[in-house]
């Protein structure tokens, strides 16, 4: 019986099954990208990218360097103006005016490869600063929130340290706490472990995994394939500014539908 159905409509059956199984599919998506296009002069950085991110989902973006992954994140928090298409946050297209953009950006936490902590402030003050200056929180309340977040990322004992006296992995965990202090709806990570010494990568990935388990909606650009395989609910493969393939990690890593996905993964040494 099943054989007959599969024989007649294999692609449709597969697509319907994975869409139904997709995490958060019973709720409106947090982010929707519709035919997003971004050009730099003659260069097409994003070409007709359509995607969605559901509530509580971890979406990993993978693909070769220069394929448009960071550009997509910058289009997500309106650091770039689109040349076509739309990005919707909770069903509303991203605004264009600077003041509206700032409000939308506050709803997204961003974590970069290079941490970007304030060097002359302690870990605690780095985390407390946004809530004080942007949200207008009292310094006492902001510091209490910051301390709780440093505890969450395992750095309560380092609250008084300046960035120069923290390892890369510790600085990145402070950066994650700082983003969380603004109570974002979605967290965007752009290669958060690429600049780290190998021995500190795991502590950052563990913090991210814990966030995922707590239900945070996350978009993660990463080359850490075992993290994507284990933690992502949805994986999108980019190549030349376009989506090569997207699907659950079991599809992408164990049974890629596109030969170029397999080539990309085997270049990284992924053997399933
Ligand atoms: N501001 C810019 N001006 C011109 N080209 C850019 C700019 N930003 C990115 N690009 C180009 O767009 C392409 C995609 O970049 P990016 O999104 O950073 O790729 P990835 O993050 O996948 O490595 C690259 O070829 C890059 O050189
Ligand atoms: Mg990038």
């Amino acid at each position: 019986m099943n054989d007959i159905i599969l024989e007649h409509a294999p692609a449709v059956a597969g697509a319907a099954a994975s869409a139904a199984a997709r995490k958060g599919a019973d709720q409106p998506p947090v982010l929707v990208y519709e035919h997003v296009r971004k050009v730099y002069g003659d260069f097409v950085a994003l070409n007709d990218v359509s995607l969605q991110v559901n509530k509580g989902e971890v979406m990993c973006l993978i693909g070769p360097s220069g394929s448009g992954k960071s550009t997509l994140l910058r289009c997500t928090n309106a650091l770039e103006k689109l040349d076509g298409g739309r990005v919707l946050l909770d069903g509303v297209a991203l605004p264009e005016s600077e003041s509206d953009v700032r409000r939308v950006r506050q709803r997204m936490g961003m974590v970069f490869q290079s941490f970007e902590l304030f060097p002359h402030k302690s870990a605690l003050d780095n985390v407390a600063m946004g809530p004080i200056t942007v949200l207008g929180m009292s310094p006492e309340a902001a510091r209490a929130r910051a301390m709780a977040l440093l505890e969450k990322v395992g750095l309560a004992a380092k609250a008084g340290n300046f960035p120069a006296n923290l390892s890369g992995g510790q600085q990145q965990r402070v950066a994650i706490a700082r983003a969380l202090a603004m109570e974002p709806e979605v967290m965007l990570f752009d290669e958060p472990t690429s600049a780290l010494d190998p021995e500190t990568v795991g502590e950052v990935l563990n913090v991210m995994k814990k966030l995922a388990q707590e239900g945070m909606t996350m978009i993660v650009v990463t080359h850490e394939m075992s993290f994507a395989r284990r933690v992502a609910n949805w994986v999108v493969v980019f190549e030349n500014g376009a989506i090569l393939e997207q699907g659950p990690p079991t599809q992408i890593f164990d049974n890629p539908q596109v030969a170029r996905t397999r080539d990309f993964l085997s270049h990284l040494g992924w053997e399933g």
Side-chain angles (χ1 to χ4, degrees), residues 19-244:
R22 193 169 165 180
K23 188 173 182 188
D26 55 333
Q27 295 170 71
V30 176
L31 282 161
V32 175
Y33 303 80
E34 292 176 352
H35 307 291
V36 169
R37 180 177 173 81
K38 178 69 197 174
V39 300
Y40 298 109
D42 293 340
F43 182 79
V44 181
L46 292 175
N47 185 21
D48 198 17
V49 170
S50 294
L51 284 177
Q52 74 177 52
V53 186
N54 293 337
K55 195 166 168 51
E57 223 177 14
V58 178
M59 186 170 87
C60 280
L61 306 183
I62 66 174
S65 176
S67 58
K69 306 178 300 292
S70 296
T71 304
L72 190 82
L73 289 189
R74 289 200 306 274
C75 291
T76 306
N77 67 3
L79 287 170
E80 297 277 9
K81 252 186 103 206
L82 305 185
D83 294 297
R86 302 196 296 172
V87 177
L88 299 110
L89 175 64
D90 293 328
V92 179
L94 293 183
E96 300 209 336
S97 86
E98 212 22 68
S99 60
D100 292 341
V101 161
R102 267 199 300 276
R103 257 188 295 117
V104 165
R105 215 170 275 151
Q106 282 169 29
R107 294 160 63 189
M108 307 187 201
M110 182 93 195
V111 175
F112 303 93
Q113 187 175 330
S114 52
F115 330 133
E116 302 189 14
L117 298 177
F118 293 102
H120 305 302
K121 288 187 180 291
S122 67
L124 187 80
D125 286 339
N126 264 283
V127 180
M129 200 169 108
I132 295 170
T133 59
V134 181
L135 304 181
M137 232 184 193
S138 73
E140 298 70 36
R143 291 213 175 88
R145 177 185 287 187
M147 200 60 209
L149 286 167
L150 287 176
E151 238 160 69
K152 185 189 178 87
V153 301
L155 288 174
K158 305 285 182 182
N161 284 38
F162 287 84
N165 297 321
L166 295 169
S167 73
Q170 291 169 340
Q171 289 183 61
Q172 192 61 301
R173 285 186 282 153
V174 173
I176 292 171
R178 179 181 59 178
L180 292 172
M182 300 296 284
E183 302 196 317
E185 278 175 66
V186 49
M187 288 281 287
L188 312 177
F189 294 86
D190 195 351
E191 296 196 31
T193 60
S194 292
L196 299 179
D197 291 330
E199 70 269 24
T200 69
V201 167
E203 67 196 44
V204 173
L205 294 178
N206 283 337
V207 164
M208 292 168 63
K209 188 172 161 194
K210 195 164 105 185
L211 267 186
Q213 284 164 347
E214 289 170 2
M216 176 60 77
T217 307
M218 297 163 53
I219 304 181
V220 183
V221 174
T222 187
H223 297 295
E224 295 288 338
M225 294 302 135
S226 57
F227 175 85
R229 176 70 180 82
R230 281 182 290 117
V231 180
N233 307 107
W234 199 256
V235 179
V236 182
V237 190
F238 272 83
E239 187 183 59
N240 297 328
I243 296 172
L244 194 56

